[in-house]
């Protein structure tokens, strides 16, 4: 009986993997799908399809030049974390939502949109906010049901891994507002966590069970914020502490929120990647990680190449590009290089609990347990 039932499962899984092919039972473990949500850290080109500004786009050179050889919309010189995770999980590249058409969603979909945050008001009108990303995910779940039926859909969605990168743009938002920023830190954080909770619950309701969240990096130390600090007359080469502190507040609220969800929702599992720890160490000690330069970006202009002009399509048209991108932690004024993303992805995949806890992604993707 056990054998029959496990063979039956294998048949279903093969069916799912090759919708159009006749029923054949291979001895082949099913793979978990990967659904991706969030901001420019994960956006593979969704913003190429919406009305937005070049500030939230990277569909021009030199973006993409090191790997894809053309600008896909990814805000780096090459692949992003979800691209590497897909590779480690033996999945193909996970397509942007706007490219799936009616069929290319078997292995997952990427809904991420550069500039977006946890709040609908963050860059409203220029990005696909997280709530809308959830709606798009609900659409995909409907498409899946039509294709493979309710039972198999449920299985696919509960085996799948849901990965999120969101919150940095809320931390940056007060920088471009002026003294009129309307919220206290505590209020702001409560709204952010509240909205993130709503989205996690929404994905759970559709059938998601395995949630991965990147915490926020030391955002006061990205080249654009360092340059801003310099403009304000603060010491040359120092991070903006109030920005990093807001990221820290987010990072301490995050595990509390997720633990609470775990108590509320049966079978809900989560893991947190400590982006902060890993990036802070790379910034402080770049040579240990194989970089030469961690303060200055490869692409941009001004001090630290911190003016966000990479590609020359935004407000500022001039930009410099470094010769050897492999020496750099940051590609543009805000976003890491492909090499930095690869290091983060490796740790996310099979890092120790010091950087990814309580699960790493290798174990999240393992369906044999
Ligand atoms: C996008 O922007 C263009 C030009 O501003 C406008 O004509 C068009 O209607 C907009 N499309 C949507 C879907 O908002
Ligand atoms: C900054 O403040 C001025 C008035 O002091 C206001 O007109 C402007 O809209 C504010 N800018 C932002 C981005 O909030
Ligand atoms: C979500 O954010 C909005 C502001 O964008 C806020 O008014 C609302 O209360 C938040 N929701 C929750 C559940 O915290
Ligand atoms: C910081 O100071 C050093 C020397 O004190 C100078 O060479 C460098 O250009 C300065 N950096 C920026 C970004 O202004």
């Amino acid at each position: 009986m056990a054998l029959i039932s496990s063979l039956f499962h294998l048949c279903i899984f093969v069916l799912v993997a090759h919708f159009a092919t006749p029923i054949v039972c291979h001895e082949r473990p099913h793979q978990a799908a990967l659904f991706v949500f969030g901001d420019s850290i994960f956006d593979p080109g969704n913003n190429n399809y919406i009305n937005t500004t070049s500030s939230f786009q990277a569909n021009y050179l030199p973006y993409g030049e090191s790997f894809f050889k053309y600008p896909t919309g990814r805000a780096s010189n090459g692949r992003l974390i979800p691209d590497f995770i897909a590779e480690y999980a033996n999945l193909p590249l996970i397509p942007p939502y706007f490219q799936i058409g009616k069929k290319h969603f078997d292995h997952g979909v990427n809904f991420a949109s550069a500039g977006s945050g946890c709040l609908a008001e963050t860059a409203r009108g220029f990005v696909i906010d997280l709530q809308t990303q959830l709606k798009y995910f609900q659409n995909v779940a409907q498409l899946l049901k039509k294709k493979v039926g309710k039972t198999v859909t449920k299985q696919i969605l509960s085996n799948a891994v849901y990965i999120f990168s969101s919150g940095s743009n809320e931390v940056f938002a007060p920088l471009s507002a002026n003294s009129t920023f309307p919220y206290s830190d505590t209020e702001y954080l409560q709204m952010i966590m509240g909205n993130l909770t709503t989205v996690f619950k929404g994905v759970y309701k559709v059938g998601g069970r395995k949630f991965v969240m990147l915490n926020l990096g030391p955002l006061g130390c990205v080249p654009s914020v360092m340059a801003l600090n310099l403009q304000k007359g603060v010491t040359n080469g120092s991070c903006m502490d109030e920005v990093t502190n807001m990221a820290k507040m987010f990072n301490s609220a995050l595990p509390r929120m997720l633990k609470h969800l775990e108590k509320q929702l049966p079978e809900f599992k989560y893991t947190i990647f400590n982006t902060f720890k890993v990036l802070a160490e790379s910034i402080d000690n770049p040579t240990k990680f194989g970089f030469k330069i961690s303060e200055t970006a490869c692409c941009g202009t001004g001090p630290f190449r911190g003016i966000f002009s990479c590609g020359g399509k935004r407000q500022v048209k001039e930009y410099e590009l470094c010769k050897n991108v492999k020496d750099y932690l940051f590609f543009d004024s805000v976003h890491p290089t492909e090499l930095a993303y690869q290091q983060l992805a490796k740790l996310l995949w099979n890092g120790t609990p010091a950087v990814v806890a309580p699960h790493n992604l290798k174990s999240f993707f393992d369906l044999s347990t």
Side-chain angles (χ1 to χ4, degrees), residues 16-30:
V16 171
H18 309 279
F19 296 117
T21 59
I23 304 174
V24 194
C25 294
H26 297 300
E27 289 286 326
R28 198 182 129 195
H30 178 53

Side-chain angles (χ1 to χ4, degrees), residues 35-40 42-52 56-59 71-75 80 82 94-101 109-116 126-129 132-133 136 140:
F35 292 97
V36 183
F37 300 80
D39 54 26
S40 57
F42 286 175
D43 184 348
N46 280 313
N47 278 18
N48 302 354
Y49 295 85
I50 63 170
N51 260 350
T52 183
F56 299 134
Q57 289 183 315
N59 51 352
T72 61
R74 287 167 176 80
L80 308 181
I94 304 304
Y97 176 69
F98 292 116
Q99 284 177 15
I100 63 175
V109 178
N110 188 327
F111 305 96
S113 167
S116 74
F126 296 97
V127 300
I128 307 149
D129 62 49
T132 307
Q133 293 181 31
Y136 291 166
V140 169

Side-chain angles (χ1 to χ4, degrees), residues 230 236 303-304:
L230 199 65
N236 178 356
F304 311 113

